[in-house]
Amino acid sequence: VETAPVHCTSVGKAILAFQPEGVIKAVIKAGLVRYTDTTITTAPALQTELKRIRARGYSVDEGEHQPGLRCVGAPIRDSSGHVFAGLSVSGPMREVPQAEVEGLSKIVIHHANQISANV
C-alpha cells in the first residue's frame, strides 16, 4: 500500500477540495512538501487549485507526486453527500495527453458518481 500527501495527487486533491476549511488549513500548516517541479507548495496556489476542482468537479495531477505521471480524479460521496474517498485514472503523460483530460474526467466522474450512488 502506498500513501501520498493529499496536496499532490488527483485522489488527494479530489477529496481535500470538498473538506471543511479547517481541514484544508491543517494540511497547509503541516507543510506542502515538494516532490517534483510541478508540486503545489504554497497555500495560495493550493487554495486556487482546490477552488478550480470544486468548480469543475474533478482534479488533475500534472506529475506533482511522480514525474511524468498524469492523473485525473473525482470525489466519492457517502449517502449524506460528504466526500470520503476518490477515484482516479492515471498514466504516463506521453500516453495521456492534456487534450484527453476533459474526456477522461467525464468517465472518472461518471464512475465516482456510480460508486457514490451505491454507498
Side-chain angles (χ1 to χ4, degrees), residues 36-53:
T36 72
D37 291 343
T38 59
T39 304
I40 295 171
T41 59
T42 68
L46 182 60
Q47 292 283 11
T48 298
E49 177 71 358
L50 298 177
K51 183 178 179 180
R52 194 176 358 220
I53 293 164

Side-chain angles (χ1 to χ4, degrees), residues 15-117:
I15 296 168
L16 185 61
F18 298 95
Q19 298 307 305
E21 191 61 31
V23 172
I24 295 168
K25 286 181 179 181
V27 167
I28 291 168
K29 186 177 180 180
L32 305 175
V33 176
R34 178 176 299 283
Y35 290 87
T36 72
D37 291 343
T38 59
T39 304
I40 295 171
T41 59
T42 68
L46 182 60
Q47 292 283 11
T48 298
E49 177 71 358
L50 298 177
K51 183 178 179 180
R52 194 176 358 220
I53 293 164
R54 286 189 289 271
R56 67 183 178 207
Y58 69 92
S59 61
V60 181
D61 168 358
E62 294 286 353
E64 297 163 43
H65 186 247
Q66 296 182 15
L69 187 65
R70 178 170 284 128
C71 310
V72 180
I76 296 174
R77 301 172 188 278
D78 64 18
S79 59
S80 67
H82 174 74
V83 173
F84 73 99
L87 174 73
S88 74
V89 62
S90 57
M93 289 180 172
R94 68 181 182 281
E95 294 180 28
V96 182
Q98 180 63 41
E100 291 183 19
V101 167
E102 190 172 337
L104 286 171
S105 74
K106 290 174 176 44
I107 295 167
V108 174
I109 290 169
H110 170 79
H111 288 284
N113 289 343
Q114 290 293 109
I115 294 168
S116 297

